[in-house]
Amino acid sequence: MSTSEPLLDIASRRPHRADARRNFDALLVAARDAFAEHGTDASLEDIARQANVGIGTLYRNFPTRQDLLEAVYVGEIEELCQAARDVAGLEPWEAFNTWLERFAGYVATKLALLQALNKDSEVFRACKGAMYASALPIFERAQASGAVRADVSLDDVTRMISGMVASTYASDDQRERVMGIALDGLRAR
């Protein structure tokens, strides 16, 4: 699968009329925020209200909660893949570091959705594959340039960042400091 192909056919599900498209997109934004703040059991009525649409509009676009969860997750992955394309022209370490920052932001949303997503589903596998396919060239370029240690894999790094994001910190400063320590540890000496 190319990293520029849509993971779910969200583009074809997206309404053609401008007002309906705005509603569809507003639902995804509201759902992402609600799931991140309240978990996957967030009220669908509250999501519709936050998107300034009726509950019927939510169900017309996303017939089940699972459909909405998957659409939010796929949207996050598509943004992460786009972020990899966006940084491709940067210097190797800067590209990798910038992508890792975006990945850390994605992990926060993923943690909220993880319990509700079927990790054996085709959607989950396709998303994971697309994410790795988009990030691997950035990672390998950083390693080839000597900026990233040769003894680590992309999987090692994504697991480390995921664990760090999932942790609780005393302050934002502490979280930034811990992230800096980890990134320093990835640098080739």
Side-chain angles (χ1 to χ4, degrees), residues 165-180:
V165 171
S167 295
T168 304
Y169 297 94
S171 67
D172 288 342
D173 288 341
Q174 183 185 39
R175 180 176 43 253
E176 292 299 318
R177 194 169 49 255
V178 169
M179 182 71 95

Side-chain angles (χ1 to χ4, degrees), residues 17-37:
R17 282 190 358 249
D19 62 329
R21 265 195 322 272
R22 279 191 302 274
N23 291 343
F24 182 90
D25 294 342
L27 283 165
L28 287 176
V29 169
R32 178 174 46 197
D33 293 347
F35 294 150
E37 186 175 343

Side-chain angles (χ1 to χ4, degrees), residues 4-155:
S4 61
E5 292 176 23
L7 296 170
L8 274 182
D9 204 3
I10 290 180
S12 71
R13 287 180 39 201
R14 202 165 173 247
H16 297 290
R17 282 190 358 249
D19 62 329
R21 265 195 322 272
R22 279 191 302 274
N23 291 343
F24 182 90
D25 294 342
L27 283 165
L28 287 176
V29 169
R32 178 174 46 197
D33 293 347
F35 294 150
E37 186 175 343
H38 304 291
T40 57
D41 291 330
S43 163
L44 296 180
E45 290 81 7
D46 288 346
I47 291 170
R49 191 172 17 265
Q50 187 64 35
N52 292 316
V53 302
I55 192 70
T57 299
L58 184 145
Y59 283 117
R60 191 169 33 260
N61 285 287
F62 307 101
T64 68
R65 180 180 293 271
Q66 191 66 31
D67 291 332
L68 183 57
L69 289 164
E70 286 180 357
V72 168
Y73 183 65
V74 167
E76 286 290 302
I77 292 292
E78 287 174 341
E79 288 178 17
L80 193 57
C81 292
Q82 182 60 50
R85 291 187 291 274
D86 291 346
V87 302
L90 299 175
E91 291 298 317
W93 174 256
E94 184 182 355
F96 185 59
N97 187 43
T98 302
W99 183 84
L100 279 178
E101 288 174 9
R102 177 60 185 92
F103 175 76
Y106 146 78
V107 169
T109 299
K110 177 188 170 197
L111 291 173
L113 298 175
L114 199 55
Q115 294 169 334
L117 292 171
N118 176 356
K119 291 170 217 54
D120 294 325
S121 76
E122 183 59 36
V123 169
F124 189 80
R125 282 193 305 274
C127 285
K128 185 176 181 181
M131 182 200 62
Y132 275 88
S134 69
L136 193 58
I138 296 165
F139 175 77
E140 289 175 340
R141 192 166 63 101
Q143 272 188 324
S145 75
V148 173
R149 293 169 42 167
D151 64 336
V152 298
S153 70
L154 178 60
D155 188 57

